[in-house]
Amino acid sequence: MQFAESYVGEDLVLRTARSLAREVGLDAVTPGAGAALRLLAAAGNARAVVEIGTGTGVSGVWLLRGMRADGVLTTIDLEVEHQRIARRIFVEAGFPSGRTRIITGRALDVLPRLADGAYDLVFVDAEATGFAAYVDAALRLLRPGGVLALNGTLAGGRIGDPAARDAETVTVRETIKALRESEHWIPALLPVGHGLLAAVKC
Protein backbone atom coordinates (compact mmCIF):
# COMPACT_ATOMS: atom_id res chain seq x y z
CA MET A 1 0.00 0.00 0.00
CA GLN A 2 2.80 2.41 0.93
CA PHE A 3 4.63 1.70 -2.33
CA ALA A 4 1.43 2.30 -4.31
CA GLU A 5 0.91 5.64 -2.55
CA SER A 6 4.43 6.79 -3.39
CA TYR A 7 4.50 5.35 -6.91
CA VAL A 8 3.60 8.71 -8.47
CA GLY A 9 5.36 11.53 -6.64
CA GLU A 10 4.13 15.05 -5.98
CA ASP A 11 5.87 18.23 -7.05
CA LEU A 12 6.36 21.39 -4.99
CA VAL A 13 2.94 22.81 -5.89
CA LEU A 14 1.10 19.71 -4.67
CA ARG A 15 3.27 19.42 -1.56
CA THR A 16 2.51 23.07 -0.77
CA ALA A 17 -1.23 22.57 -1.27
CA ARG A 18 -1.09 19.49 0.96
CA SER A 19 0.78 21.38 3.68
CA LEU A 20 -1.77 24.21 3.54
CA ALA A 21 -4.58 21.66 3.81
CA ARG A 22 -3.07 20.34 7.03
CA GLU A 23 -2.77 23.89 8.37
CA VAL A 24 -6.50 24.51 7.92
CA GLY A 25 -7.45 21.08 9.29
CA LEU A 26 -8.27 19.29 6.04
CA ASP A 27 -7.37 15.75 5.04
CA ALA A 28 -6.52 16.06 1.35
CA VAL A 29 -6.62 13.12 -1.06
CA THR A 30 -3.49 11.00 -0.84
CA PRO A 31 -0.96 10.91 -3.70
CA GLY A 32 -2.25 7.47 -4.69
CA ALA A 33 -5.84 8.69 -4.87
CA GLY A 34 -4.70 11.82 -6.72
CA ALA A 35 -2.88 9.73 -9.30
CA ALA A 36 -6.03 7.61 -9.75
CA LEU A 37 -8.12 10.77 -10.29
CA ARG A 38 -5.64 12.03 -12.88
CA LEU A 39 -5.81 8.66 -14.63
CA LEU A 40 -9.64 8.67 -14.65
CA ALA A 41 -9.70 12.18 -16.09
CA ALA A 42 -7.13 11.29 -18.75
CA ALA A 43 -8.75 7.97 -19.68
CA GLY A 44 -12.08 9.72 -20.21
CA ASN A 45 -10.48 12.60 -22.14
CA ALA A 46 -12.35 14.79 -19.65
CA ARG A 47 -13.25 18.28 -20.73
CA ALA A 48 -15.86 19.14 -18.09
CA VAL A 49 -15.38 18.00 -14.48
CA VAL A 50 -17.32 18.75 -11.30
CA GLU A 51 -15.52 18.57 -7.96
CA ILE A 52 -17.50 18.64 -4.71
CA GLY A 53 -15.08 19.83 -2.04
CA THR A 54 -12.41 22.23 -3.31
CA GLY A 55 -10.24 22.11 -0.20
CA THR A 56 -6.88 23.76 -0.86
CA GLY A 57 -6.68 22.49 -4.43
CA VAL A 58 -4.82 19.18 -4.05
CA SER A 59 -7.40 17.04 -5.85
CA GLY A 60 -8.16 19.87 -8.26
CA VAL A 61 -4.56 20.00 -9.48
CA TRP A 62 -4.51 16.22 -9.95
CA LEU A 63 -7.76 16.37 -11.93
CA LEU A 64 -6.63 19.31 -14.07
CA ARG A 65 -3.41 17.51 -14.94
CA GLY A 66 -5.41 14.61 -16.34
CA MET A 67 -7.99 16.69 -18.20
CA ARG A 68 -7.81 17.98 -21.76
CA ALA A 69 -5.88 21.21 -22.27
CA ASP A 70 -9.16 23.03 -22.94
CA GLY A 71 -10.97 21.39 -20.01
CA VAL A 72 -12.73 23.31 -17.24
CA LEU A 73 -12.91 22.18 -13.61
CA THR A 74 -16.04 23.35 -11.78
CA THR A 75 -15.23 23.10 -8.08
CA ILE A 76 -17.68 23.74 -5.24
CA ASP A 77 -17.02 24.41 -1.55
CA LEU A 78 -18.60 26.28 1.36
CA GLU A 79 -15.30 27.69 2.62
CA VAL A 80 -14.22 30.91 0.90
CA GLU A 81 -10.82 30.87 2.58
CA HIS A 82 -10.04 27.36 1.35
CA GLN A 83 -11.02 28.37 -2.17
CA ARG A 84 -8.83 31.46 -1.99
CA ILE A 85 -5.87 29.16 -1.28
CA ALA A 86 -6.93 26.76 -4.05
CA ARG A 87 -7.17 29.60 -6.57
CA ARG A 88 -3.57 30.55 -5.79
CA ILE A 89 -2.46 26.90 -6.04
CA PHE A 90 -4.10 26.51 -9.46
CA VAL A 91 -2.22 29.57 -10.73
CA GLU A 92 1.06 28.30 -9.27
CA ALA A 93 0.44 24.98 -11.02
CA GLY A 94 0.31 26.86 -14.31
CA PHE A 95 -3.41 26.77 -15.02
CA PRO A 96 -4.98 29.99 -16.37
CA SER A 97 -8.07 31.25 -14.53
CA GLY A 98 -10.30 30.15 -17.41
CA ARG A 99 -9.53 26.49 -16.61
CA THR A 100 -11.39 26.66 -13.30
CA ARG A 101 -14.87 27.74 -12.26
CA ILE A 102 -14.79 28.15 -8.48
CA ILE A 103 -18.24 28.30 -6.88
CA THR A 104 -18.74 29.09 -3.20
CA GLY A 105 -21.83 27.50 -1.70
CA ARG A 106 -23.52 24.35 -0.47
CA ALA A 107 -23.05 21.70 -3.15
CA LEU A 108 -26.65 20.47 -2.98
CA ASP A 109 -27.80 24.03 -3.69
CA VAL A 110 -25.32 24.54 -6.55
CA LEU A 111 -25.61 21.20 -8.37
CA PRO A 112 -29.23 21.68 -9.54
CA ARG A 113 -28.03 24.74 -11.51
CA LEU A 114 -25.54 22.67 -13.54
CA ALA A 115 -26.55 21.25 -16.94
CA ASP A 116 -27.82 17.70 -17.43
CA GLY A 117 -25.49 15.25 -19.16
CA ALA A 118 -22.81 17.89 -19.66
CA TYR A 119 -19.97 16.46 -17.56
CA ASP A 120 -17.34 13.78 -18.07
CA LEU A 121 -16.39 13.23 -14.43
CA VAL A 122 -17.85 14.05 -11.02
CA PHE A 123 -15.54 13.79 -8.01
CA VAL A 124 -17.02 13.84 -4.50
CA ASP A 125 -14.76 14.66 -1.57
CA ALA A 126 -17.34 15.59 1.05
CA GLU A 127 -19.16 14.31 4.12
CA ALA A 128 -20.45 10.77 3.66
CA THR A 129 -23.90 11.85 4.87
CA GLY A 130 -24.42 13.49 1.47
CA PHE A 131 -23.23 10.54 -0.64
CA ALA A 132 -26.68 9.33 -1.73
CA ALA A 133 -27.72 12.82 -2.85
CA TYR A 134 -24.42 13.34 -4.68
CA VAL A 135 -24.79 10.01 -6.50
CA ASP A 136 -28.27 11.05 -7.64
CA ALA A 137 -26.92 14.40 -8.83
CA ALA A 138 -24.01 12.73 -10.66
CA LEU A 139 -26.40 10.44 -12.52
CA ARG A 140 -28.09 13.53 -13.93
CA LEU A 141 -24.94 15.54 -14.58
CA LEU A 142 -22.80 12.89 -16.27
CA ARG A 143 -22.93 11.95 -19.94
CA PRO A 144 -23.21 8.22 -20.72
CA GLY A 145 -19.73 6.81 -20.15
CA GLY A 146 -18.94 9.55 -17.64
CA VAL A 147 -17.28 8.65 -14.35
CA LEU A 148 -18.31 9.18 -10.73
CA ALA A 149 -15.54 9.03 -8.11
CA LEU A 150 -16.33 8.97 -4.38
CA ASN A 151 -13.53 9.57 -1.90
CA GLY A 152 -13.42 7.96 1.55
CA THR A 153 -15.30 4.79 0.66
CA LEU A 154 -13.27 2.52 2.92
CA ALA A 155 -14.63 4.53 5.87
CA GLY A 156 -11.34 4.57 7.73
CA GLY A 157 -10.94 0.81 7.32
CA ARG A 158 -14.32 0.10 8.94
CA ILE A 159 -16.23 -0.72 5.76
CA GLY A 160 -15.49 -4.45 5.91
CA ASP A 161 -16.20 -4.76 9.64
CA PRO A 162 -19.81 -5.92 10.22
CA ALA A 163 -19.60 -4.66 13.81
CA ALA A 164 -19.01 -1.08 12.63
CA ARG A 165 -22.46 0.48 12.75
CA ASP A 166 -21.71 4.18 13.15
CA ALA A 167 -23.73 6.51 10.94
CA GLU A 168 -20.89 7.35 8.56
CA THR A 169 -19.88 3.74 7.94
CA VAL A 170 -23.49 2.63 7.46
CA THR A 171 -24.07 5.46 4.97
CA VAL A 172 -20.95 4.60 2.97
CA ARG A 173 -21.82 0.88 3.06
CA GLU A 174 -25.35 1.53 1.78
CA THR A 175 -24.09 3.86 -0.97
CA ILE A 176 -21.49 1.49 -2.38
CA LYS A 177 -23.96 -1.43 -2.17
CA ALA A 178 -26.57 0.60 -4.08
CA LEU A 179 -24.01 1.48 -6.76
CA ARG A 180 -22.96 -2.16 -7.10
CA GLU A 181 -26.59 -3.28 -7.53
CA SER A 182 -27.71 -0.41 -9.77
CA GLU A 183 -28.33 -0.93 -13.48
CA HIS A 184 -27.07 2.63 -14.06
CA TRP A 185 -23.46 2.14 -12.94
CA ILE A 186 -20.42 -0.09 -13.53
CA PRO A 187 -18.45 0.33 -10.28
CA ALA A 188 -15.10 -0.69 -8.80
CA LEU A 189 -13.78 0.01 -5.31
CA LEU A 190 -10.14 1.07 -5.56
CA PRO A 191 -8.02 0.58 -2.40
CA VAL A 192 -6.08 3.84 -2.75
CA GLY A 193 -5.97 6.56 -0.12
CA HIS A 194 -9.11 6.38 2.01
CA GLY A 195 -10.87 4.30 -0.63
CA LEU A 196 -11.94 5.58 -4.04
CA LEU A 197 -15.09 4.18 -5.55
CA ALA A 198 -15.15 4.76 -9.31
CA ALA A 199 -18.29 4.07 -11.33
CA VAL A 200 -19.01 4.52 -15.03
CA LYS A 201 -22.49 5.70 -15.96
CA CYS A 202 -24.15 3.20 -18.31
Side-chain angles (χ1 to χ4, degrees), residues 97 119 134 138 150 184 196:
S97 59
Y119 294 89
Y134 296 139
L150 293 173
H184 301 298
L196 190 69

Side-chain angles (χ1 to χ4, degrees), residues 13 22 27 112 134 195:
V13 172
R22 281 194 295 269
D27 191 10
Y134 296 139

Side-chain angles (χ1 to χ4, degrees), residues 114-186:
L114 303 184
D116 294 7
Y119 294 89
D120 304 302
L121 192 155
V122 173
F123 172 55
V124 179
D125 189 12
E127 293 294 324
T129 50
F131 273 7
Y134 296 139
V135 170
D136 288 344
L139 188 62
R140 179 183 65 80
L141 294 170
L142 287 168
R143 60 168 174 79
V147 175
L148 165 67
L150 293 173
N151 191 43
T153 45
L154 291 179
R158 301 183 305 277
I159 201 69
D161 179 4
R165 303 295 301 169
D166 60 283
E168 180 185 342
T169 304
V170 169
T171 300
V172 173
R173 196 177 282 138
E174 289 174 351
T175 301
I176 64 175
K177 181 175 183 283
L179 280 162
R180 185 183 63 206
E181 296 175 353
S182 172
E183 61 185 18
H184 301 298
W185 300 101
I186 300 171

Side-chain angles (χ1 to χ4, degrees), residues 50 74 76 101 103 110-116 118-119 140-141:
V50 175
T74 298
I76 307 163
R101 180 167 61 149
I103 302 174
V110 174
L111 294 172
R113 305 203 299 265
L114 303 184
D116 294 7
Y119 294 89
R140 179 183 65 80
L141 294 170

Side-chain angles (χ1 to χ4, degrees), residues 4 24 31 43 80 82 90 95 99 121 144 196:
V24 298
V80 178
H82 297 169
F90 296 150
F95 298 107
R99 292 288 313 277
L121 192 155
L196 190 69

